[in-house]
Amino acid sequence: MGDRATGAAMLKTLRKRRGLSLADTARALLAIAGELGQPRTSLPTVAGLQRSVARWESAFPKRPDGRHQLLLAHLYGRTPAGSIALGAGSDFAALIEALVHLGESETELARLRTVLVRAATDPGGGMLALMSPSVRTGLTAALADPARVDEDLVAALAQVVTDVDAQVGTVSFVRLQLMLAPAVEACRQLTASPLPASLLDRMRDVSVAAHTLAGRLAFETRDDVASRELYTAATREAGLLPDRWRRATVHMSHALVTLYSAQGLAAAARLTEAAVRDAGTGDSVVVRARAHALQAETAARAGEAHQARSALGLAWYDMGRACADDPSNSSFTNNHLRGFEGVCELYVGDPQSAHDRFAASAKALVEPRQQVQRAIVTTDQALARIRLDEARSATDLLHACVSAAVATGGRVPAMRLAQARQALRPWRREQWVADFDDHLMDVLRA
């Protein structure tokens, strides 16, 4: 109850900071509902909504339901001047914290944030929407005079990159590019400026993360030239940092997109070997595990069964030694590693074992951030079924992957789908294959 009281007090403080009475807030929320196209017949009266606002702020508060949370998010996601502001220190961030105290789940709050991020990219709000007004002012000043760069500004830029990365799988890659591009340019300018030594490495670290993510986004939107240039910049910046695990992460991301580009397997394998070398001399055990897992996949795709199994063994050994305070703060888990195991079984092992590993991995990938990875794993699971001569049931899995691939505009899931469709050619005259083709065409036309 104490947490709920804190949340209620925060909502009240937020409203009063805007100079809004209970009635003003009700009228503002109704106006937003109209702008969002909600049917007027489903909207309460000003007096009714005013009573709801009062209940949210009372001594025994009631948490706003999902619909009202959306209206509050649109209200506090903009400054009084009308610009979108979602970053740390914004009213929107305060609203999210209040809803946490009132007991809302992290999953629902992530969805709410995604809706606002999409709204920010509609009018081209871009990176500035992810920064508080004070940080926006500070960035403008720092770009004009690098001597004004401070730790808060570097942390704010890092948070922008983290926020964009967190939306992969929930927001289209094109929109994410729009949001990230200003951060990449800011990093490029500031790392080339005469920053104090105490800030330069931190700024360079942010630049590596921004350029690596931008390289991945460029690939997903089919701009291979820009992707290679961004990865080259990330590799160069990472090479100037003291710990080599950072450069290993760049090599791995680059290897994964190279695997699906015209350069193909050989170039991806070279980048993977570079990642293994860098990870082996770095302080992050999790990055070392990821590098070995990717090494296993490239070996399996090349038909090198012994090398693939050896690399997988090293990856599991590394994961067994990983600890919570790993410096990379990587999201790589045992579930991801099982997906790599499945790929190895698919190419140089037992299709049934591959299928079971893919199924276990897909079942665990439930977060919105993992939607793209889940689509990839599930498509691989379908390929395993095809190799087990269960093509019809494989199409059941593929139908679910189509929508996920199109929703994000992801290139890799689309390529995996094309590979699976090619594997269905022996059954091309079957009605269930025709139904799958119709689904593909319907979604592509939409």
Side-chain angles (χ1 to χ4, degrees), residues 318-343:
D318 292 330
M319 288 301 289
R321 297 169 54 237
C323 54
D325 58 352
D326 189 275
S328 72
N329 195 28
S330 172
S331 60
F332 189 77
T333 65
N334 288 348
N335 291 322
H336 293 91
L337 186 48
R338 289 189 189 97
F340 280 98
E341 274 191 326
V343 171

Side-chain angles (χ1 to χ4, degrees), residues 34-52:
E35 292 170 5
L36 296 178
Q38 296 188 4
R40 295 194 63 82
T41 55
S42 68
L43 299 177
T45 62
V46 171
L49 189 50
Q50 180 177 334
R51 287 193 292 272
S52 294

Side-chain angles (χ1 to χ4, degrees), residues 19-83:
L20 298 172
S21 66
L22 292 172
D24 291 337
T25 304
R27 283 190 287 268
L29 294 178
L30 287 172
I32 291 169
E35 292 170 5
L36 296 178
Q38 296 188 4
R40 295 194 63 82
T41 55
S42 68
L43 299 177
T45 62
V46 171
L49 189 50
Q50 180 177 334
R51 287 193 292 272
S52 294
V53 176
R55 284 195 293 271
W56 303 336
E57 302 175 3
S58 69
F60 298 93
K62 180 180 179 182
R63 185 176 72 235
D65 61 20
R67 179 187 178 193
H68 289 116
Q69 287 182 26
L70 177 63
L71 299 179
L72 287 167
H74 278 277
L75 173 62
Y76 293 120
R78 290 185 178 275
T79 66
S83 60

Side-chain angles (χ1 to χ4, degrees), residues 43-290:
L43 299 177
T45 62
V46 171
L49 189 50
Q50 180 177 334
R51 287 193 292 272
S52 294
V53 176
R55 284 195 293 271
W56 303 336
E57 302 175 3
S58 69
F60 298 93
K62 180 180 179 182
R63 185 176 72 235
D65 61 20
R67 179 187 178 193
H68 289 116
Q69 287 182 26
L70 177 63
L71 299 179
L72 287 167
H74 278 277
L75 173 62
Y76 293 120
R78 290 185 178 275
T79 66
S83 60
I84 295 179
L86 310 179
S90 66
D91 285 351
F92 178 79
L95 170 65
I96 294 297
E97 186 177 354
L99 292 174
V100 169
H101 285 293
L102 288 169
E104 188 54 86
S105 70
E106 290 293 335
T107 299
E108 290 303 316
L109 293 176
R111 289 174 181 164
L112 188 63
R113 184 176 180 81
T114 294
V115 170
L116 267 292
V117 168
R118 286 174 176 161
T121 57
D122 280 336
M127 177 189 73
L128 299 181
L130 299 176
M131 288 187 168
S132 65
S134 61
V135 174
R136 297 183 200 182
T137 303
L139 178 60
T140 301
L143 290 173
D145 179 11
R148 302 181 69 172
V149 175
D150 58 20
E151 291 186 1
D152 289 342
L153 180 62
V154 176
L157 277 172
Q159 190 60 50
V160 169
V161 179
T162 299
D163 286 346
V164 172
D165 187 50
Q167 296 300 322
V168 170
T170 58
V171 177
S172 73
F173 287 111
V174 172
R175 287 176 181 246
L176 294 178
Q177 271 190 308
L178 291 173
M179 301 189 75
L180 186 63
V184 172
E185 179 58 22
C187 288
R188 187 190 66 78
Q189 291 188 41
L190 293 176
T191 52
S193 303
L195 297 179
S198 60
L199 290 174
L200 183 57
D201 276 356
R202 293 189 60 198
M203 188 70 245
R204 190 163 278 140
D205 196 19
V206 176
S207 181
V208 169
H211 280 85
T212 302
L213 179 56
R216 189 260 176 103
L217 297 179
F219 173 81
E220 295 283 7
T221 55
R222 295 165 174 77
D223 191 344
D224 290 346
V225 174
S227 180
R228 285 194 296 272
E229 291 175 351
L230 288 160
Y231 276 118
T232 298
T235 303
R236 182 178 60 250
E237 289 292 314
L240 298 173
L241 290 169
D243 197 320
R244 285 290 179 256
W245 68 258
R246 290 176 172 84
R247 192 167 67 180
T249 63
V250 179
H251 288 320
M252 282 188 283
S253 180
H254 196 185
L256 282 168
V257 303
T258 300
L259 190 61
Y260 298 99
S261 70
Q263 299 173 74
L265 182 58
R270 288 193 294 271
L271 286 164
T272 300
E273 293 304 318
V276 170
R277 288 194 299 271
D278 279 343
T281 59
D283 292 337
S284 172
V285 177
V286 176
V287 168
R288 205 172 304 156
R290 286 179 57 198

